[in-house]
Amino acid sequence: MRVLIVTTQVPFIRGGAEIHAEELVKALNTEGHEAEIVAIPFKWYPPERILEHMLACRLLDLTESCGQVVDRIIGMKFPAYLIPHPQKVMWLLHQYRSAYDLWGTHYGDLINAANGLQIREAIVNADNKAFSECISIFANSQNVAKRLKYFNHIESIPLYHPPRNAETFYCENTEDYLFFPSRLWSIKRQELVIKALAETTNPVRILFAGKADNNEYNEYLKKLAKKLGVTKKAVFLGEISEKEKIITYARSLGVVYPPFDEDYGYVTLEAMLSSKPVVTCTDSGGSLEFVRHEETGLIAEPNPKSFAAAMDQLWENRSWAQALGKAGKEYYDSLNISWSTVVQKLIS
């Protein structure tokens, strides 16, 4: 089957969504299909640009290429998933969140535009039209499926997939640090972790790894650490290689991952594959589908004192932290997450 993965790419920004699409193409090709990515460049400001991107996607014809039929397209991100096709399957990573779950929150900007409400309505209407055209709809997590049901009244099937290089994660003897690998971005809440470091009663040390979407945020975090007197406890590694990331997971005491309402969250799964406990928050979304409080990790309130207490617990109870991590790996294995299952469902 000839399959196109249709997604959106913000130039020079790379995260889990890009890895997700690449790994799906690899899995489809491994299963004998011919698959490629069609990535639509996306710019969301000024807000009127969003409508232009939506129209551009609706005008694209991906039913054939060079005289050969494209058998299926798999939509993943807004607005690329608006592209019409008679055999379109949706595997939703997330919608345009500023128009949905981030509307009215600190993280959503569309509500601040003079015409924000009108654009929001246009997005919702276009989404509903696109979803009605699909032959089947999957979501990449229960959290994303729940949002789709709440905002659009559309049922979808959660479909988990493994992180990249899942088979290469491992566990070593622990060293004195917790690990937080993620893009430096306000919604990932590195700021919360730095504020929590100032509240810990132990010399908890965090290794932050990842590239900032915006260098101003990177500088803000470093200035915040200095202001709070935790520069020795907050270590910024910058962007590291895949090999370095896997080693750093393996030697960590545990992993912290407190994003706001995450879609899915590779970090949680990678920590579990490394047999490490995860500290997350009660409002962290997809992470909560895998972290069980005091069984595979700790779930804190999204405030510095509560998060600091959770980190202190792991720091003081090393053998318990190790047991939580082991339980997390066993739980991951019990889920039987595999690409072959994903391909079977998306192509059937």
Side-chain angles (χ1 to χ4, degrees):
M1 188 176 284
R2 301 180 83 221
V3 184
L4 290 176
I5 314 304
V6 295
T7 186
T8 304
Q9 169 78 61
V10 177
F12 304 108
I13 300 295
R14 181 175 170 78
E18 287 69 37
I19 294 171
H20 187 162
E22 292 164 2
E23 293 299 295
L24 175 57
V25 167
K26 191 186 300 181
L28 286 163
N29 289 331
T30 299
E31 296 290 332
H33 301 285
E34 184 181 358
E36 287 187 4
I37 295 172
V38 174
I40 307 298
F42 184 54
K43 184 178 179 182
W44 62 95
Y45 57 90
E48 293 78 14
R49 287 277 183 267
I50 298 172
L51 302 178
E52 295 170 2
H53 284 70
M54 291 164 58
L55 176 60
C57 288
R58 290 301 288 178
L59 293 174
L60 290 175
D61 178 6
L62 295 182
T63 57
E64 61 88 28
S65 178
C66 298
Q68 296 189 60
V69 172
V70 174
D71 299 298
R72 181 158 299 186
I73 70 171
I74 299 174
M76 301 185 85
K77 284 181 71 178
F78 174 88
Y81 61 54
L82 301 180
I83 298 171
H85 191 282
Q87 292 293 314
K88 179 164 64 177
V89 169
M90 190 73 71
W91 190 19
L92 185 65
L93 272 67
H94 58 74
Q95 297 168 264
Y96 187 66
R97 296 184 61 189
S98 281
Y100 290 99
D101 56 298
L102 298 185
W103 179 267
T105 73
H106 170 69
Y107 303 103
D109 55 359
L110 185 58
I111 194 172
N112 299 320
N115 54 358
L117 185 59
Q118 290 77 15
I119 293 174
R120 182 194 196 200
E121 290 175 355
I123 291 170
V124 172
N125 289 335
D127 277 0
N128 287 336
K129 170 70 174 170
F131 293 132
S132 72
E133 296 169 346
C134 294
I135 59 174
S136 55
I137 302 176
F138 298 90
N140 69 339
S141 69
Q142 294 178 31
N143 194 36
V144 172
K146 185 173 67 176
R147 287 186 206 144
L148 190 58
K149 175 66 175 176
Y150 180 80
F151 290 106
N152 302 83
H153 311 294
I154 292 172
E155 298 285 353
S156 60
I157 302 170
L159 182 58
Y160 294 150
H161 66 284
R164 184 176 57 181
N165 299 322
E167 69 285 356
T168 63
F169 288 85
Y170 66 102
C171 182
E172 283 191 20
N173 292 331
T174 60
E175 298 180 5
D176 285 339
Y177 66 86
L178 300 173
F179 189 34
F180 187 174
S182 181
R183 290 159 57 198
L184 303 184
W185 186 22
S186 61
I187 203 167
K188 303 296 184 184
R189 296 201 294 208
Q190 285 88 1
E191 179 181 359
L192 168 63
V193 177
I194 291 172
K195 290 179 176 176
L197 280 174
E199 301 285 346
T200 54
T201 57
N202 292 283
V204 175
R205 196 165 68 108
I206 305 284
L207 302 190
F208 295 89
K211 182 181 177 183
D213 287 1
N214 181 328
N215 197 46
E216 288 182 7
Y217 186 62
N218 187 22
E219 293 303 313
Y220 166 74
L221 293 175
K222 291 179 178 177
K223 287 179 181 176
L224 179 64
K226 185 176 181 180
K227 178 182 175 183
L228 296 176
V230 296
T231 51
K232 291 184 178 178
K233 300 170 89 175
V235 180
F236 293 91
L237 302 176
E239 193 171 15
I240 61 176
S241 69
E242 182 74 3
K243 181 179 179 182
E244 290 170 327
K245 182 184 77 174
I246 291 170
I247 292 172
T248 311
Y249 268 118
R251 296 174 179 170
S252 68
L253 170 61
V255 171
V256 297
Y257 195 54
F260 175 73
D261 200 22
E262 179 66 278
D263 303 320
Y264 183 44
Y266 283 138
V267 174
T268 307
L269 298 173
E270 290 170 345
M272 295 167 78
L273 285 164
S274 307
S275 300
K276 303 298 177 181
V278 179
V279 182
T280 191
C281 287
T282 53
D283 62 353
S284 287
S287 302
L288 300 172
E289 295 172 34
F290 304 100
V291 179
R292 296 176 173 180
H293 186 57
E294 297 186 346
E295 292 182 22
T296 63
L298 297 173
I299 302 173
E301 295 297 324
N303 63 68
K305 283 191 179 299
S306 178
F307 206 80
M311 293 195 294
D312 273 328
Q313 275 188 281
L314 290 188
W315 199 265
E316 293 169 359
N317 302 287
R318 304 296 175 97
S319 59
W320 184 54
Q322 191 175 7
L324 295 179
K326 184 180 178 185
K329 176 66 165 61
E330 291 171 353
Y331 181 56
Y332 179 94
D333 291 341
S334 74
L335 295 173
N336 295 317
I337 300 172
S338 75
W339 277 112
S340 60
T341 300
V342 168
V343 171
Q344 182 183 20
K345 290 185 179 296
L346 294 178
I347 297 302
S348 63

